Amino acid sequence: MKLSSSGQGQQAHEGENKCLNSELWHACAGPMVCLPTVGTRVVYFPQGHSEQVAATTNKEVDTHIPNYPDLPPQLICQLQNVTMHADVETDEVYAQMSLQPLTPEEQKDTFLPMELGIPSKQPTNYFYKTLTASDTSTHGGFSVPRRAAEKVFPPLDFSQQPPAQELIARDLHDIEWKFRHIFRGQPKRHLLTTGWSVFVSAKRLVAGDSFVGLLVNFCHRNEKNQLLLGIRRATRPQTVMPSSVLSSDSMLIGLLAAAAHAAATNSCFTVFYNPRASPSDFVIPLSKYVKAVFHTRVSVGMRFRMLFETEESSVRRYYSS
Amino acid sequence: MKLSSSGQGQQAHEGENKCLNSELWHACAGPMVCLPTVGTRVVYFPQGHSEQVAATTNKEVDTHIPNYPDLPPQLICQLQNVTMHADVETDEVYAQMSLQPLTPEEQKDTFLPMELGIPSKQPTNYFYKTLTASDTSTHGGFSVPRRAAEKVFPPLDFSQQPPAQELIARDLHDIEWKFRHIFRGQPKRHLLTTGWSVFVSAKRLVAGDSFVGLLVNFCHRNEKNQLLLGIRRATRPQTVMPSSVLSSDSMLIGLLAAAAHAAATNSCFTVFYNPRASPSDFVIPLSKYVKAVFHTRVSVGMRFRMLFETEESSVRRYYSS
DNA sequence: TTGTCGGCCATCGGCCGACAA
DNA sequence: TTGTCGGCCGATGGCCGACAA
């Protein structure tokens, strides 16, 4: 299982199976994103998955897609594996899940205690700041909010005038970035100067995007606290490009056919979950699903929808039917 | 049909259905790329298509894919539509084709005369040059090969000293680029100076990539000759990234299922053809296929392979079984 | 014929505190 | 507390012919 890792000292490049930091992944994904636990049972909604893929390929789900009579509107699976990833180009975070459909008999098993919902670890010593025009311009550096700097950055030596230090931080791909951190100006403020513009241009940041800083503590192997960084892109007016690899129809068919085939042959299938791409959760813990169904006093089979407000006041949905 | 267009004066942005210049598309695709004609019959090879998609997603075709007993190894279709496209990010050219599987009775029809192969129009007044380290460095401009400049660029006024002019050219997305074209130095040579570095950084060109220049003549609407430009990326050591949208297994299943569904219901399906992505042609004119089969004295159903050497001495393949 | 270089100058990047929101 | 600006200086961009491959 490669859910997370800690103490990953140097750049690891084992094919595409990079072990990226779980806390950093969550810090970039946002506070409302919660991944199911490996080994537990989950409900997979082909409809919600279709909507995410359709949103990504800028395509409406239409009626060209054949029916898959063997594929129920929700599929109870065991979550065999979850790996966290970040897009090499955009740093967009996503998760890859391996789902094992369960037979009707396996579904009847009683709940394991651990299935009652242990949320994945959310980051604690972290901050994010939406970048201003001044932050991203070539004219200057990055103005660090005072509380953020004090909470997350290593303390400065105030006997120096001005107090300054070199910050070393690693991103989702375990690439190292160096910044000059200085406390100066009148009134005094924390700034990142040298190194900042390289970061902005490398990540192609614009005003409205966000910087994420995270302090993690690796207890073992004598390693000290380490600074991690990430970004969150502003939700732009969806300039999704056509895929040029496979037609969106074929993708939607493939999605359904893969799930149906896995269900029929009792084998695993793989899905990608992009928490920031669309507001649809399509893999949710079975325990949460059962609770929701019980709570709303509807029988399984009726259409319902649960709404949650996220931090950005958008909406997350669960699918059922 | 949106195969091509001419006299497209200003930037057109009709959704994603841009009419891009057919000659320019071919100039960027390379001289060996030839698209089948709309309305003719073609042979579609799911196996070759799978290999292209697998190459793009950096995945080997393995045995996880279910069999589609209804899907024959080659499918005779009518080519309903072909549109030429270019990736918004990379300028990579590709074609979208709509294929209509034919019933056994329709397949028995005799050939139409037009099906005997009218190749699509190849560009005439065009050149390409592989960019050198000096071309792509920030230190200077672009050194234009003399014959290329004389053949493709508007003639300079040699009464000026030095002779110079402003070149205006449009790319695959119909975006305008301006360059200062000057004939100077000792010995004299053609150079693109002002404007060149903007182009290099916008297209993210590196030494080894190629610049394509094309002179087209729009006869109607009183338009004069127009200069078009494009690029060809060097074939890099395949840094294909995982898709993060759909698993490669689902994509391969979707590809097969879409074709099988179209064949079963007598409806259209859509494929993308990336001529520079992989050396596999998987949609070829029926006439060419029949000729090849006849020529090599094998019966339909035997495995055969036709080899052609392309300009870059790579290999193009036809698939059959 | 054309790829690379040194020379030269204009422009931009980038660090600073002032000032105000 | 922090976003934007003018001032200032050094780094880089970018145009030129020289020279050689």
Side-chain angles (χ1 to χ4, degrees), chain B residues 197-223:
Chain B
S197 71
V198 178
F199 180 74
V200 168
S201 58
K203 300 295 189 189
R204 292 177 216 159
L205 296 175
V206 297
D209 295 339
S210 294
F211 177 88
V212 173
L214 172 67
L215 184 64
V216 290
N217 194 324
F218 296 141
C219 299
H220 58 296
R221 295 212 323 186
N222 286 346
E223 292 200 50

Side-chain angles (χ1 to χ4, degrees), chain A residues 129 132 134 139 145-146 187 189:
Chain A
K129 181 200 175 188
T132 66
S134 296
H139 190 61
R146 191 185 170 187
R189 87 277 311 276

Side-chain angles (χ1 to χ4, degrees), chain A residues 58-98:
Chain A
N58 218 3
K59 163 86 180 183
E60 295 138 35
V61 181
D62 58 16
T63 51
H64 291 140
I65 311 301
N67 284 327
Y68 280 82
D70 301 338
L71 184 65
Q74 68 269 17
L75 202 59
I76 298 180
C77 304
Q78 190 180 32
L79 184 60
Q80 296 288 2
N81 200 5
V82 174
T83 50
M84 301 181 183
H85 302 269
D87 189 283
V88 179
E89 293 291 310
T90 65
D91 277 24
E92 174 195 44
V93 291
Y94 63 96
Q96 176 176 341
M97 310 192 202
S98 296

